[in-house]
Amino acid sequence: MKRNITLSLDKELIGKAKVMAAHRQTSISGMLSEELRKAVEKTERHQWAKREAMNNLKIGFHLGGRILTTREDIHER
């Protein structure tokens, strides 16, 4: 479902945006919509990756190897 919003932009910026949109064969609205969609998707991907990384840190990784001594033996006084 699409909804309209109102933006206040500088007159010069609007003029340049109209030319840019025409070169892309779209409207200013279409151009802004696409750029905003990309920004939202990028943020969502970043948040997902951050959650995954934090979960991996909580779980930890087993990289093989074996523990051959205890912490107490290493730090024996």
Side-chain angles (χ1 to χ4, degrees), residues 14-63:
I14 292 171
K16 290 178 181 181
K18 283 182 181 181
V19 172
M20 183 185 283
H23 285 320
R24 295 181 182 186
Q25 297 180 341
T26 188
S27 63
I28 292 176
S29 179
M31 195 168 59
L32 289 173
S33 178
E34 179 64 17
E35 292 301 319
L36 186 56
R37 183 190 61 75
K38 287 178 185 178
V40 168
E41 286 178 356
K42 181 179 177 181
T43 299
E44 288 174 343
R45 285 192 310 268
H46 178 265
Q47 290 173 344
W48 178 85
K50 183 178 177 181
R51 278 192 307 272
E52 287 294 307
M54 295 304 288
N55 285 337
N56 286 337
L57 285 174
K58 287 178 187 174
I59 295 169
F61 295 100
H62 181 13
L63 302 175

Side-chain angles (χ1 to χ4, degrees), residues 61-76:
F61 295 100
H62 181 13
L63 302 175
R66 297 179 299 144
I67 298 174
L68 301 175
T69 185
T70 66
R71 184 177 194 283
E72 290 75 25
D73 290 341
I74 293 172
H75 297 286
E76 187 176 17

